[in-house]
Amino acid sequence: MGHTCRGTINLATATITVDDACNFVISNGGAQTYHLKASCEVERQRWITALELAKAKAARMQAESGGGSQNSEVQSALRTLGSKVEDLSTCNDLISKHGSALQRSLSELDSLRLTGEAGDKIRQVTERATLFRITSNAMINACRDFLALAQAHSKRWQKALQAERDQRVRLEETLEQLAKQHNHLERAFRGAAQANATADNKSAAGPGKGEASDEDDDNEFFDAMEEAPEFITVPEPLAMNQESPSQELVPLKKRRTRISDKPNYSLNLWSIMKNCIGKELSKIPMPVNFNEPISMLQRLSEDLEYHELLDKASKCQSSLEQMCYVAAFSVSSYSTTVHRTGKPFNPLLGETYELDRRRESGYRSLCEQVSHHPPAAAHHVISDRGWTLRQEITVASKFRGKYLSIMPLGTIHAIFEKSNNHYTWKKVTTTVHNIIVGKLWIDQSGEIDVVNHTTGDRCHLKFAPYSYFSRDVARKVTGVVMDKDGKAHYVLSGTWDEKMEFSRVMQSSRGGENGTEGKQKTVYQTLKARELWRKNPLPEGAETMYYFTTLALTLNEPEEGMAPTDSRRRPDQRLMEDGRWDEANAEKQRLEEKQRSVRREREREAASQRAPHENYQALWFERCEDRITGEQVHIYKGGYWEAKDRGSWEGCPDIF
């Protein structure tokens, strides 16, 4: 734009923002800013769409005009350099010619029989002339090399510039297409709303008298997209029941995004650990310095960080594709552990934890500590989106001196209502390295079999242990989804701390021998990989908040109406979260001693009644045999959420 009027804004570099329903702002990032107001929201959107289209066109024109000028500038610079080097070459020829003549003259003078002082002067002048000639030649050669290098790189520069221009054009065309599609969808939505209003008016006024329908002439048709989305998400206000417009909307609760920073307390680790080698970790009294301010029940609930994978799985028509999402969910639960070297609090017997996210995410979760030695927690999740998750996990752990092994025992169940598919799997071993010396780091290793007991489908996942000598990417996870006949349909790959992808298998064949056992390795030919799951970024400042995720930061946030046994009411855990670790240690010892005294009393009562010591019964879960695995497990028997609605907690024990 060579000449503009006063107050003009270059549309190619302008910023268009929405202020409210009818207002929008156009600014060039400097002194020029226009605040415009439309008569209604629809008119405002028309203006924004038109301005975005014009902006994309202006940017494309500017890029086309700017590309030629950039190319001409490069060529002009090269030509200038070439002419300068030619001038230097001419000077070099003249210097060489005159320098040779000078040296001949000096040689002739040197051959004459002159006095000693004159001969020394002539030889000195000859040496200086030779050095001057050598230096001039070196300078000319360096300039010639520079010219050759510039000419060689000019083609690469031109290709890079052209590629950048092409990419910019493609992005602008994409933006233009998106703006057009947005405009078309908006008009189609308005047309549908007007058609519904017209139909309602006609039904209220009665049928017409033989009026012909011209709907086909008024309707607007669009080409189908090549890659249509699987489903369209309708905003909640539009998806509400239209018959009750007076229904009051309750705003979602705003969850906290920060907790107190972790204090920096020094601790003599070896004085505690030297007497713990080979012992069960749950039986060792530990100060809160080794903990993080959540309990094991809350850590189990944190498996729901990526619950949307189960939401997507419930919508799958194919059981094999559903298996891929369930397998990705089983891997995603480990992503929160990559930096989490703190130990969760051991729950007290009878301790519970609820996670009610029904309004935000459609699920309700309940955990209860059903056994203390060995420690076991039962977990039950019910979702309005067609799936149920349950598990009973017993954690066995051993301290080996240099590292700590944590072996979760128990089976996880996922049941989908629509397809009646029932999946089970177990957890792998977690290893915490450098317990005594060095920086703590965590690794996951082992194998998982995700089994669909309804169809017989199976997914075998392998978590590769870290090896210093391995060429593979760290924290690697691979898997194959097979039907009941053992035929591979999908291949999974990724890492347990970042993402998982899946590829459809087109053909499989036996390759060469793999390893020393002589087994043949199967080679799969697959389509292009698609992303199943990707880890959410950590919140800002997570390194000072125990590396908690966004969900973990809200797990210990107080809730209204929670049970007296809820982990959020645990005083030592709350004191640790607030940074009062000395008080937390004292409170932790009090709670553990109280639990021991209750257990001794329970054992005395059992002995007086000649009953086994294991007479404790969970409040919300009942022990029975699992019909799928045949294990003795605790399954939710109901009543918790009803008791919460009534505010009736008479049956809860006093554990805090």
Side-chain angles (χ1 to χ4, degrees), residues 228-506:
E230 294 181 1
F231 57 91
I232 298 176
T233 303
V234 180
E236 290 185 358
L238 298 178
M240 289 182 57
N241 188 357
Q242 299 295 331
E243 296 179 358
S244 57
S246 60
Q247 182 179 1
E248 184 178 357
L249 289 177
V250 180
L252 296 178
K253 179 179 178 180
K254 186 176 180 181
R255 306 287 177 180
R256 68 181 184 181
T257 58
R258 285 199 61 84
I259 60 175
S260 301
D261 290 347
K262 178 181 179 181
N264 186 16
Y265 285 113
S266 60
L267 182 69
N268 188 350
L269 184 63
W270 180 246
S271 64
I272 298 173
M273 285 297 187
K274 64 182 179 181
N275 298 321
C276 302
I277 298 177
K279 294 184 180 180
E280 176 68 31
L281 188 65
S282 60
K283 298 182 180 180
I284 301 172
M286 291 283 188
V288 299
N289 304 58
F290 296 100
N291 289 76
E292 56 183 12
I294 60 174
S295 71
M296 180 58 73
L297 303 181
Q298 292 166 311
R299 192 69 174 264
L300 274 181
S301 303
E302 204 176 344
D303 287 353
L304 300 171
E305 176 89 22
Y306 301 97
H307 64 89
E308 63 272 6
L309 290 171
L310 297 180
D311 296 341
K312 294 178 181 179
S314 65
K315 296 182 175 68
C316 291
Q317 301 296 326
S318 168
S319 62
L320 293 167
E321 186 177 356
Q322 187 178 71
M323 172 70 80
C324 295
Y325 283 101
V326 174
F329 176 78
S330 69
V331 175
S332 68
S333 61
Y334 298 99
S335 64
T336 61
T337 66
V338 62
H339 300 296
R340 302 271 290 278
T341 56
K343 172 183 172 292
F345 278 78
N346 288 331
L348 303 175
L349 187 61
E351 185 175 336
T352 61
Y353 180 72
E354 67 166 70
L355 184 63
D356 190 352
R357 293 291 191 270
R358 193 171 185 179
R359 296 187 63 246
E360 298 99 322
S361 305
Y363 68 84
R364 276 179 167 180
S365 167
L366 176 66
C367 293
E368 182 179 1
Q369 187 75 1
V370 296
S371 174
H372 189 64
H373 287 302
H379 185 203
H380 182 270
V381 189
I382 181 70
S383 173
D384 296 337
R385 297 170 186 175
W387 55 268
T388 301
L389 185 75
R390 62 179 174 87
Q391 59 181 322
E392 181 177 346
I393 298 297
T394 301
V395 178
S397 53
K398 290 291 183 180
F399 177 55
R400 303 297 185 183
K402 292 183 179 180
Y403 62 91
L404 173 69
S405 295
I406 303 172
M407 294 80 69
L409 308 176
T411 305
I412 306 171
H413 298 254
I415 304 100
F416 295 92
E417 297 177 2
K418 184 177 179 181
S419 60
N420 202 29
N421 288 332
H422 191 136
Y423 297 86
T424 62
W425 68 92
K426 295 180 181 291
K427 288 181 175 287
V428 297
T429 300
T430 301
T431 307
V432 184
H433 295 270
N434 294 342
I435 293 293
I436 302 299
V437 179
K439 183 179 180 181
L440 294 175
W441 61 278
I442 292 178
D443 193 24
Q444 313 286 349
S445 59
E447 298 183 2
I448 293 178
D449 279 319
V450 185
V451 182
N452 185 343
H453 296 273
T454 304
T455 63
D457 301 336
R458 181 181 298 268
C459 176
H460 182 75
L461 291 171
K462 183 177 181 181
F463 288 66
Y466 175 79
S467 174
Y468 181 79
F469 302 100
S470 176
R471 296 181 180 179
D472 289 334
V473 63
R475 310 183 182 97
K476 183 179 180 181
V477 180
T478 56
V480 180
V481 176
M482 298 172 288
D483 58 19
K484 62 180 180 180
D485 299 324
K487 181 182 178 181
H489 291 266
Y490 290 95
V491 172
L492 306 181
S493 62
T495 58
W496 54 263
D497 68 323
E498 184 178 356
K499 67 176 181 178
M500 287 295 293
E501 296 177 337
F502 74 122
S503 309
R504 180 183 288 274
V505 175
M506 302 305 295

